[in-house]
Amino acid sequence: MTKDPINILLVDDQPAKLLSYQAILQELGENLITAGSAREALEQLLKEDIAIILIDVCMPELDGFELAAMIRDHPRFRHTAIIFVSAVALADPDRVKGYSYGAVDYLPVPIVPELLRSKVRVFADLFRKTRQLELLNAELERRVDERTAELTRANAELELRVEERTRERETAWAQVQQMQKLESLGQLTGGIAHDFNNLLQVISGNLEILSRRLPDDPDIKSRLAHAAEAVDRGSALTERLLAFARRRDLKPDAVDVPRLISGITDMLRSSLGPTIEIAVAFEDGLPPIHTDANQLELALLNVALNARDAMPDGGRLQIAVRRENVKASSVRGLNAGEYVCIALTDTGSGMDEATLQRASEPFFTTKEQGKGTGLGLSMVYGLAAQSQGALCLASQAGIGTTAQLYFPTAKPGAAEPPPRSSSDIGVASRSCTVLLVEDDPMVAATAESMLESLGHQVLMASSGREALNVLQGNSRIDLVITDHAMPQMTGSELADQIRGLRPDMPIILATGYAELPNPGESGLPRLCKPYCLEDLISLMDDVLSRQNVKLRF
C-alpha cells in the first residue's frame, strides 16, 4: 500500500548543508522543503502542512532556539516534531535548552546519514499514525453523532408510540368501563323493570276487574280510564327499560330494511316537521337483517326525534343504509361478519365528549324537564345489542351527530312473516281448570281474580315444586299458566318437568323477560306482563284450540 509523502522542512543558512540533508533524506520518498532563514521557515510553515522540522541551531537574525520558540507559540505547530542540528552548540546545557524549546531530538554535526534517516523515519511514521488516529477519531465522532441522532430519532419515535399505545389502552379501558357500566345498569334496570311489571300487572288486572263490577258511572269510568292510561304509560316505560337491559321479548325475523324505511319515511317527515329535510340512500343489493321489525321502526323514530330536538331551527337528516363486512375488533361490541349498517346523520348541535359517553345511559338526557325520559337511545342500544348488533355514536359539538345501527344479515332463504289477521284470534274461551303458578302473592291474587272473572276454575301454586305436586294429584287440570322468574325452579324448567308428566298439557309462560328460548324453539307461548283480559282470553283460546282441549261449562 503506497503512502502519501509528508512534508519535511529543512532549515539552515548554509546551502551546502541543505543539499547534504536533501541527499541523505531523499531515499525516504518524502517531500523535502528547504528554507535558508528563520523568516523563510515561518513562511513555509504557514503555507504547507509540515510534519517534521530539521533546524540548524546557529543562524543569523534568529537562531534555531528562537525559531523553535516562535513555532511552539503557534497553536497549529504545538505538536510538530522539531529536530535540532548543530556543529557548535554541543554541550549538555545546549542540549537541555533545545529540549526545553520543544525538540524531539538533538543531532551533532557531522551528521551520520543512517542515524538521521532512522530518526526522521520514526517521526514520519509517528506523524502518519497520529494523523490516522485523528482521522479515526473524527470518523468515530461522526459515527457517534450519527448513531446519537438515530437513537434520538428512535427514542422520539418510541416515545410517540408509547404515547399512542397509552392513548389506545386508555381509550380501550374507557370503552371497557363504559360497557361494564352499561351492563351493570342493564342488570339493574332489567330487575327494576321486572318488579315494576309485576306491580303494573296487579294495578292493571284490578282496574279491569273493577271496571266490570262498578256501576256505569261516567265519573268512575273516567277515573278508571285515566288509571289505565297511566298503566299503559308505565308499561311503555318498562318496555324501554327492558330494551336497554336486553331483556325484552323480541320477535326477530328477516327484515327488508329499504322497504321498512320507505314505509315510515312519511311518518318521519310529519314527526320532524317541514323545517327538516330527510334524505334517504340505499346501497344496491342489500340483504335482509335479523331483528324485530316493529322495534326497529321505533328505534329509528327515537333517533330521528333526537335529531329533530338537536335542530330546532331546521336542518337535514341523512339516512344511509349499506352493507359492511366487519372485521374482528373493528367495531366495538361486534363479532366479525357481515352486517347491514343504518347510519342516521343530522346537522344539529352535536354533543361534547362527556355527553357522548353517557348518551346511551337510561334516564340520562340533556333536554328540559318534562321533554324527555332519557330512554330513547338506551332503547336503541338495547335493541341493537339484543339483535347481536351494535349502536355506534359519533358527534361533534356544533357540527352534528351520526348514529350507526349495525344488524346481522338474515340467513339465506329467510322471509318476512305475513301479518297475523284478526281471523287468527279465537273467540272468548269457555270455562276450564287452570293451574296458576306465581310466587308474588299480589300478582297471584290479581291473576286468579282475572281468570275467575272469565268463569274459569283456578288452582294456585307458589313454586314449581308445589305446582308439580298439584298436577300429580289432579287430572282435571286443562291449562298451566306459570311465571318464569321464580326461585329454585324457573317457569321454563317447570315446563320441562310437566312435559315429562303430561306431554300434552298446554302451558303458557307469563314473563316480561327476554332471556328465554324463542317461542318456536321452546313451544311455550308467552303472556307478556302487564297483560289485560283481552290478551289473556286471546292467548288461552289460541293455546287450548291448538291442543284440542275439551272445555267444560
Side-chain angles (χ1 to χ4, degrees):
M1 179 178 178
T2 60
K3 300 178 182 179
D4 293 332
I6 62 173
N7 294 323
I8 301 176
L9 178 61
L10 308 175
V11 185
D12 201 303
D13 61 323
Q14 298 180 25
K17 292 172 66 178
L18 289 176
L19 288 174
S20 67
Y21 297 154
Q22 287 179 299
I24 294 171
L25 299 174
Q26 186 173 4
E27 66 180 72
L28 297 178
E30 309 295 354
N31 186 26
L32 304 176
I33 301 172
T34 60
S37 65
R39 186 189 300 271
E40 290 182 13
L42 293 173
E43 291 177 355
Q44 292 295 339
L45 283 169
L46 295 176
K47 289 192 300 182
E48 305 291 344
D49 182 19
I50 303 300
I52 303 172
I53 307 174
L54 190 67
I55 304 176
D56 184 26
V57 174
C58 299
M59 292 187 299
E61 296 183 4
L62 291 175
D63 62 23
F65 295 143
E66 294 172 328
L67 176 59
M70 295 178 67
I71 291 172
R72 287 287 185 247
D73 284 342
H74 197 290
R76 178 179 164 189
F77 309 117
R78 286 178 181 174
H79 302 292
T80 303
I82 298 176
I83 301 175
F84 282 121
V85 179
S86 180
V88 178
L90 298 176
D92 288 340
D94 296 323
R95 294 177 183 274
V96 171
K97 185 177 180 180
Y99 288 123
S100 67
Y101 277 95
V104 296
D105 212 336
Y106 202 107
L107 298 178
V109 177
I111 294 292
V112 178
E114 290 81 4
L115 182 62
L116 179 61
R117 282 194 293 269
S118 297
K119 290 183 177 291
V120 171
R121 185 181 291 113
V122 168
F123 290 113
D125 290 343
L126 180 61
F127 176 83
R128 285 192 173 93
K129 291 179 180 179
T130 302
R131 182 59 58 87
Q132 289 177 354
L133 182 60
E134 290 175 351
L135 293 175
L136 288 174
N137 284 337
E139 177 65 16
L140 180 60
E141 289 180 359
R142 184 187 67 79
R143 291 184 179 182
V144 167
D145 290 341
E146 289 180 353
R147 185 57 178 164
T148 302
E150 291 176 1
L151 290 174
T152 301
R153 288 193 299 270
N155 187 56
E157 291 177 1
L158 180 60
E159 289 180 354
L160 181 61
R161 290 181 182 179
V162 169
E163 290 177 0
E164 291 177 351
R165 183 59 178 164
T166 301
R167 284 195 298 270
E168 290 175 358
R169 292 186 63 181
E170 289 176 349
T171 301
W173 177 239
Q175 291 175 347
V176 169
Q177 287 182 312
Q178 182 68 9
M179 292 181 69
Q180 290 175 341
K181 178 181 179 181
L182 292 176
E183 186 65 27
S184 298
L185 285 171
Q187 293 176 0
L188 175 62
T189 54
I192 291 173
H194 174 263
D195 293 340
F196 196 38
N197 267 340
N198 279 340
L199 296 175
L200 290 175
Q201 180 61 56
V202 174
I203 298 170
S204 169
N206 282 290
L207 285 175
E208 283 205 276
I209 293 170
L210 287 173
S211 67
R212 288 173 170 243
R213 296 181 180 179
L214 289 175
D216 193 13
D217 184 295
D219 183 61
I220 294 176
K221 294 294 185 181
S222 175
R223 292 181 185 277
L224 289 174
H226 289 159
E229 183 180 350
V231 170
D232 291 339
R233 292 178 63 181
S235 178
L237 181 65
T238 57
E239 180 77 6
R240 292 190 174 192
L241 288 173
L242 288 171
F244 171 74
R246 286 169 279 172
R247 295 182 177 182
R248 182 175 46 192
D249 187 9
L250 294 183
K251 298 177 181 177
D253 287 302
V255 178
D256 185 332
V257 178
R259 187 171 72 175
L260 182 142
I261 293 178
S262 298
I264 65 171
T265 301
D266 290 339
M267 180 187 68
L268 291 177
R269 286 196 172 94
S270 62
S271 300
L272 270 58
T275 61
I276 295 178
E277 175 192 356
I278 298 178
V280 181
F282 302 119
E283 185 180 280
D284 292 335
L286 287 170
I289 64 174
H290 187 69
T291 190
D292 187 311
N294 293 329
Q295 297 303 324
L296 176 58
E297 289 183 356
L298 183 58
L300 295 176
L301 179 60
N302 275 320
V303 176
L305 292 177
N306 279 345
R308 178 200 64 186
D309 294 339
M311 299 183 289
D313 299 324
R316 188 173 190 268
L317 177 64
Q318 170 76 46
I319 304 175
V321 186
R322 66 181 185 276
R323 180 189 302 197
E324 190 166 327
N325 192 7
V326 175
K327 297 181 180 178
S329 302
S330 62
V331 178
R332 186 180 69 183
L334 284 187
N335 296 322
E338 188 174 86
Y339 295 82
V340 170
C341 176
I342 306 173
L344 297 93
T345 303
D346 65 58
T347 57
S349 56
M351 294 179 280
D352 57 27
E353 188 61 29
T355 303
L356 184 62
Q357 290 298 320
R358 301 190 59 192
S360 298
E361 294 180 14
F363 301 114
F364 176 78
T365 179
T366 57
K367 300 175 184 177
E368 298 177 10
Q369 187 173 3
K371 292 190 176 181
T373 62
L375 290 173
L377 282 180
S378 64
M379 184 277 287
V380 178
Y381 166 83
L383 170 67
Q386 194 171 346
S387 301
Q388 308 303 315
L391 167 65
C392 298
L393 294 175
S395 186
Q396 191 171 349
I399 295 180
T401 301
T402 296
Q404 296 186 104
L405 280 164
Y406 288 87
F407 290 96
T409 58
K411 294 180 180 179
E416 291 187 274
R420 186 180 180 186
S421 65
S422 58
S423 60
D424 295 330
I425 301 175
V427 296
S429 64
R430 291 166 289 179
S431 72
C432 63
T433 301
V434 179
L435 173 57
L436 179 64
V437 189
E438 175 62 62
D439 64 321
D440 188 309
M442 288 194 299
V443 177
T446 302
E448 181 183 17
S449 298
M450 293 174 72
L451 288 167
E452 288 178 345
S453 72
L454 297 176
H456 302 301
Q457 180 183 354
V458 182
L459 301 177
M460 300 297 299
S462 59
S463 68
R465 184 58 55 193
E466 184 180 347
L468 292 174
N469 292 334
V470 173
L471 192 64
Q472 288 175 338
N474 194 322
S475 61
R476 295 173 57 81
I477 296 174
D478 301 308
L479 172 68
V480 176
I481 300 178
T482 177
D483 184 28
H484 172 68
M486 296 185 297
Q488 297 180 352
M489 184 186 298
T490 66
S492 297
E493 292 169 342
L494 173 60
D496 292 337
Q497 295 282 341
I498 292 173
R499 284 167 174 163
L501 297 172
R502 305 264 301 267
D504 297 330
M505 174 62 67
I507 304 171
I508 293 176
L509 199 61
T511 182
Y513 279 137
E515 66 272 15
L516 306 170
N518 289 329
E521 297 174 1
S522 66
L524 293 179
R526 297 185 196 174
L527 192 60
C528 296
K529 296 178 181 178
Y531 53 85
C532 62
L533 284 170
E534 183 181 349
D535 297 330
L536 189 58
I537 292 170
S538 175
L539 188 56
M540 285 181 64
D541 282 343
D542 184 53
V543 169
L544 293 172
S545 63
R546 283 191 280 114
Q547 293 289 341
N548 294 318
V549 174
K550 184 177 180 181
L551 301 179
R552 289 175 296 278
F553 293 93

